[in-house]
Amino acid sequence: MEFTRTEPDPASQTCGYQIQVGGWDNDGNRFCVAPKATGLYFCQEHHDWVIQDEPDGIVRMAPGNVRGH
């Protein structure tokens, strides 16, 4: 999986899901750089991870986050 160490703009079409916080070897944060899936806030893989923890099946995001198109 490709990643970046800087958080993508939530208004972009980049997934941006944080896949690592810090790390044992202090190699920093990692954010997914896959494109957002159509109609979703994340790529399909990370949307599936997030939706597992939502009891009502709704992903709530702060204003300014856009869905993929």
Side-chain angles (χ1 to χ4, degrees):
M1 174 180 296
E2 292 194 35
F3 64 90
T4 182
R5 297 201 184 277
T6 56
E7 184 174 9
D9 181 349
S12 73
Q13 290 297 303
T14 301
C15 173
Y17 185 85
Q18 189 166 5
I19 53 180
Q20 178 178 313
V21 178
W24 290 105
D25 53 0
N26 276 338
D27 67 348
N29 299 328
R30 293 182 183 192
F31 300 90
C32 176
V33 295
K36 290 179 179 179
T38 302
L40 304 178
Y41 291 109
F42 304 105
C43 66
Q44 186 66 58
E45 177 183 5
H46 291 122
H47 170 79
D48 293 345
W49 288 7
V50 169
I51 205 73
Q52 289 179 40
D53 295 331
E54 297 298 329
D56 58 2
I58 298 171
V59 177
R60 292 168 180 82
M61 299 294 286
N65 285 274
V66 300
R67 296 175 188 252
H69 53 86

